[in-house]
Amino acid sequence: PGGGSSGGGGDGRPPPGKQPGNAGRGSGGGAPGDGGDGGDDDDNGDDDNNGDDDDDDLENRIATKPADRGSRRGVVDRICTWMLSHCDPDRDSIVLTDAQGTQLDGSKNAILAVTDAWCQLCGYTAAEAVGRSPRLTQGVGTDLSCIEGMREAITAGRACKVSLINYRKGGHAFINNLTLCPIRSQGQVLVYAGILRDYSNMLSRMVTLKPTQYFKMTTHYTASRKLIARPPATPMVLDVEDAEQVGVEETEDQIWKNSIVELHVRRLSMALKEREPEYLSLWLQDAFATLNLPYSEAVCDAAGREVICVNVQQGNLVCRGLVLPVTEPGHHRIVFERLRGDPLAYHTLFKRVAKHMEHC
């Protein structure tokens, strides 16, 4: 999904008490994970055993065939089980693909498991998707250069970010903002996690610019961390240090925390909710283009952190908008700086841009 390798979406965690029951992986001829039919719910069962039953059900839906726990297949199955257990399947659109194996239709990087949110977005049931190539969501409008970029990233075992046109079952196009993260054990990439977000509706509100498809694989995406109980907010490598334990229950994303840029001089800014920095940069550019002002975008490095900067000029006034991460993973703010020119004109321009950004 995502057009070439995998796709998914969200950084949420399951609400308290919520089981990941409807996320699924195909098992034999059934459709576990498809509409919740993958397991039996016994409302009359013994309450003391419900937790164990849920765990067994998840194991049954993940494992497609018996596997030695110490084998590569066994580790892959446990990674899939752990990932589906530590996301909100109704919110997080996530697909897990095999980084090495070939399955069913002879394709590489075949789909191993998907969440219900992915099924809802792409239109396929878990039974229809598992074992097939992620190419099933590609179509005539999908940028082939993005597909080739993802292929190179997977071959190299790298994380990447892509925005491209994908297609739901039935042919309806949508704009997929996709983050791909390799999951490795003992230095070997076994699984790719794709986190998918549908930006179609939000990008359609832009006034002047049209969204473009892109592929990004930068040095900032080479960071690695343990597999924690939270889907990553940025592209990175996820390490399984203990094949039995697989992940850790921590939820704090230290890499995200280290990416926060502290500004010690007060500036005008706009706090925004969970949005990709590239998306916010595009909206800034749309604001400047709508105001008929010359602008340019640059990606800067701030002490090892990636910062997107959009420069704009209005007469003698020169400003720039910085897209910066805030404390909550996946959330950003736009800081608007005056580099030179009249302060009154600066405040007026900020108000006009902020008004435009209300629609993003």
Side-chain angles (χ1 to χ4, degrees):
S5 315
S6 41
D11 326 86
R13 287 164 290 168
K18 183 177 180 68
Q19 297 297 324
N22 290 337
R25 174 176 178 170
S27 179
D34 175 16
D37 294 329
D40 295 329
D41 293 328
D42 183 3
D43 292 336
N44 298 320
D46 186 350
D47 290 343
D48 293 338
N49 295 325
N50 284 347
D52 292 338
D53 291 343
D54 289 340
D55 290 342
D56 292 341
D57 178 60
L58 183 58
E59 288 286 353
N60 290 334
R61 288 186 290 103
I62 289 297
T64 56
K65 56 185 177 181
D68 181 353
R69 288 184 63 84
S71 67
R72 174 187 176 278
R73 185 77 224 178
V75 177
V76 168
D77 282 345
R78 288 200 298 284
I79 289 174
C80 292
T81 301
W82 201 90
M83 286 289 293
L84 295 184
S85 300
H86 291 82
C87 70
D88 181 346
D90 297 325
R91 177 183 183 272
D92 298 335
S93 182
I94 295 177
V95 59
L96 304 175
T97 62
D98 194 329
Q100 300 174 3
T102 302
Q103 292 192 5
L104 298 188
D105 60 0
S107 61
K108 293 183 178 180
N109 310 121
I111 295 173
L112 295 170
V114 294
T115 60
D116 275 356
W118 184 93
C119 294
Q120 183 71 25
L121 177 57
C122 297
Y124 296 90
T125 66
E128 291 173 322
V130 168
R132 296 181 61 184
S133 167
R135 294 193 299 269
L136 84 169
T137 57
Q138 289 182 29
V140 64
T142 306
D143 190 329
L144 296 181
S145 65
C146 293
I147 302 304
E148 182 59 32
M150 284 191 288
R151 187 176 294 119
E152 292 176 2
I154 290 174
T155 300
R158 296 276 303 275
C160 64
K161 180 182 287 187
V162 195
S163 181
L164 75 173
I165 295 174
N166 277 161
Y167 294 84
R168 297 180 174 90
K169 182 181 179 181
H172 182 73
F174 67 98
I175 300 176
N176 176 12
N177 193 294
L178 171 68
T179 295
L180 286 179
C181 296
I183 304 176
R184 64 189 182 190
S185 176
Q186 298 181 340
Q188 184 181 38
V189 177
L190 300 180
V191 175
Y192 257 89
I195 303 169
L196 182 146
R197 296 179 178 89
D198 180 5
Y199 271 49
S200 306
N201 183 48
M202 293 177 284
L203 288 170
S204 68
R205 303 173 195 163
M206 291 197 303
V207 177
T208 304
L209 301 183
K210 299 297 181 184
T212 58
Q213 301 179 69
Y214 66 81
F215 167 82
K216 285 182 66 177
M217 184 171 63
T218 73
T219 56
H220 298 92
Y221 300 162
T222 58
S224 64
R225 76 165 200 211
K226 293 180 180 179
L227 185 60
I228 66 172
R230 178 177 197 145
T234 56
M236 65 181 66
V237 179
L238 303 173
D239 279 317
V240 173
E241 297 184 356
D242 184 336
E244 288 293 327
Q245 184 178 340
V246 178
V248 293
E249 299 299 324
E250 297 175 14
T251 58
E252 183 176 84
D253 190 334
Q254 190 61 41
I255 290 180
W256 179 271
K257 187 176 180 180
N258 293 339
S259 72
I260 298 174
V261 178
E262 296 292 341
L263 297 177
H264 301 289
V265 179
R266 184 174 180 180
R267 297 166 173 86
L268 298 176
S269 66
M270 293 166 272
L272 296 151
K273 294 185 178 180
E274 187 178 354
R275 297 287 182 268
E276 296 290 332
E278 294 83 4
Y279 168 78
L280 297 176
S281 171
L282 190 59
W283 264 94
L284 264 182
Q285 295 172 64
D286 186 61
F288 299 144
T290 302
L291 296 172
N292 200 27
L293 299 175
Y295 64 88
S296 63
E297 183 194 48
V299 178
C300 308
D301 187 280
R305 308 173 181 95
E306 182 183 80
V307 176
I308 299 179
C309 173
V310 182
N311 301 289
V312 64
Q313 184 168 355
Q314 178 180 287
N316 294 325
L317 176 66
V318 178
C319 301
R320 67 178 180 182
L322 303 173
V323 183
L324 302 177
V326 295
T327 304
E328 179 65 20
H331 293 241
H332 294 81
R333 63 172 172 155
I334 293 178
V335 174
F336 202 58
E337 293 185 316
R338 178 176 65 92
L339 302 181
R340 69 170 185 265
D342 178 53
L344 181 59
Y346 160 63
H347 281 78
T348 301
L349 178 59
F350 172 78
K351 290 179 181 179
R352 297 177 71 184
V353 172
K355 184 67 176 177
H356 187 92
M357 297 293 292
E358 289 177 357
H359 302 288
C360 79

